[in-house]
Amino acid sequence: GAGVSQSPRYKVAKRGQDVALRCDPISGHVSLFWYQQALGQGPEFLTYFQNEAQLDKSGLPSDRFFAERPEGSVSTLKIQRTQQEDSAVYLCASSLSLRRGRDGNEQFFGPGTRLTVL
Amino acid sequence: KQEVTQIPAALSVPEGENLVLNCSFTDSAIYNLQWFRQDPGKGLTSLLLIQSSQREQTSGRLNASLDKSSGRSTLYIAASQPGDSATYLCAVRLSGGSYIPTFGRGTSLIVHP
């Protein structure tokens, strides 16, 4: 595709509900990142995939957060038993490869999913 | 732990002014630094990427410089326009195999006609 896409763009959930957020990276991009951005803050790293392998999940705030990328392309971020503090914009970014040259590690971001937990 | 600070936090200027946005970082062993723009309710758009071996990058009216030794980068916007109104974020990635960028909180820019 032309860019990184995310769905849904907006999600309102009741506290305790499970949600699933989808990211479609740019075709051929090996690396995929998830970030959480609270209001007025910069994005905070959640997790990183290289192809289908989740190489780092150190930024996931609790075991209620789970991410997968089973076929090395589309990724899903799942949040179980949502809490009000999970309200944020969830951003997905992809890059060609971290080991490529100058342009290979430039990150391209999707529009984000704004999650509101009531 | 890398800390990234952006000043000013907010800026309001009349159209036509030349602007300088600042980004400072605490650990100078960086791999690259990337400047982004974020419009309200939108994702991040990459503006410029500077590798650690480079001192500046230019794209149109934008020029970003990097001084690793002092832990600073500046984004220069020439002849600002109302369409430049957005939040500008810088992200720093450390060398040594780290792939996790650290973002600043951004500078919110308003350019009024």
Side-chain angles (χ1 to χ4, degrees), chain A residues 37 41 56 102 105-106, chain B residues 32 38 46 51 99 101 105:
Chain A
Q37 186 177 25
Q41 305 291 321
D56 191 326
R102 174 181 307 180
N105 49 60
E106 183 174 2
Chain B
N32 62 30
Q38 186 172 32
S46 178
Q51 301 293 345
Y99 42 76
R105 296 177 64 170

Side-chain angles (χ1 to χ4, degrees), chain B residues 56-113:
Chain B
E56 67 176 350
Q57 284 282 354
T58 298
S59 176
R61 295 182 293 107
L62 304 179
N63 175 277
S65 66
L66 174 64
D67 183 343
K68 283 196 307 178
S69 61
S70 65
R72 291 180 186 175
S73 175
T74 60
L75 179 66
Y76 178 82
I77 304 176
S80 58
Q81 303 171 358
D84 295 330
S85 299
T87 296
Y88 291 80
L89 295 147
C90 72
V92 178
R93 197 178 134 201
L94 289 174
S95 58
S98 174
Y99 42 76
I100 301 174
T102 301
F103 283 82
R105 296 177 64 170
T107 293
S108 177
L109 172 66
I110 297 176
V111 181
H112 48 88

Side-chain angles (χ1 to χ4, degrees), chain A residues 9-10 33 35 37 40-43 45 48 55-56 58 91 98 100-102 105-107 109-111 114, chain B residues 31-32 34 36 38 41-49 51 54 57 89 93 99-106:
Chain A
R9 291 294 316 279
Y10 304 91
F33 297 78
Y35 297 88
Q37 186 177 25
Q41 305 291 321
F45 170 81
Y48 161 67
L55 298 187
D56 191 326
S58 63
L91 295 165
L98 290 178
R100 289 288 291 262
R102 174 181 307 180
N105 49 60
E106 183 174 2
Q107 292 197 21
F109 280 76
R114 181 175 296 277
Chain B
Y31 182 75
N32 62 30
Q34 194 167 358
F36 295 88
Q38 186 172 32
K42 303 285 181 63
L44 279 65
T45 300
S46 178
L47 297 174
L48 292 164
L49 172 69
Q51 301 293 345
Q54 299 174 319
Q57 284 282 354
L89 295 147
R93 197 178 134 201
Y99 42 76
I100 301 174
T102 301
F103 283 82
R105 296 177 64 170

Side-chain angles (χ1 to χ4, degrees), chain B residues 11-31:
Chain B
L11 188 60
S12 179
V13 300
E15 181 177 6
E17 280 204 5
N18 300 322
L19 308 172
V20 175
L21 308 183
N22 297 290
C23 172
S24 62
F25 44 94
T26 54
D27 190 337
S28 61
I30 70 169
Y31 182 75

Side-chain angles (χ1 to χ4, degrees), chain A residues 21-25 30 32 34 48-55 66-78:
Chain A
L21 313 180
R22 177 187 169 107
C23 172
D24 282 84
V30 169
L32 186 146
W34 283 98
Y48 161 67
F49 289 86
Q50 184 168 318
N51 294 307
E52 69 279 2
Q54 187 176 20
L55 298 187
F66 172 77
E68 62 183 4
R69 193 186 185 198
E71 298 179 359
S73 55
V74 171
S75 177
T76 303
L77 176 67
K78 297 179 180 178

Side-chain angles (χ1 to χ4, degrees), chain A residues 8-39:
Chain A
R9 291 294 316 279
Y10 304 91
K11 177 69 179 178
V12 178
K14 293 182 179 179
R15 190 162 58 93
Q17 185 179 349
D18 296 349
V19 298
L21 313 180
R22 177 187 169 107
C23 172
D24 282 84
I26 294 173
S27 177
H29 277 198
V30 169
S31 300
L32 186 146
F33 297 78
W34 283 98
Y35 297 88
Q36 181 189 61
Q37 186 177 25
L39 190 63

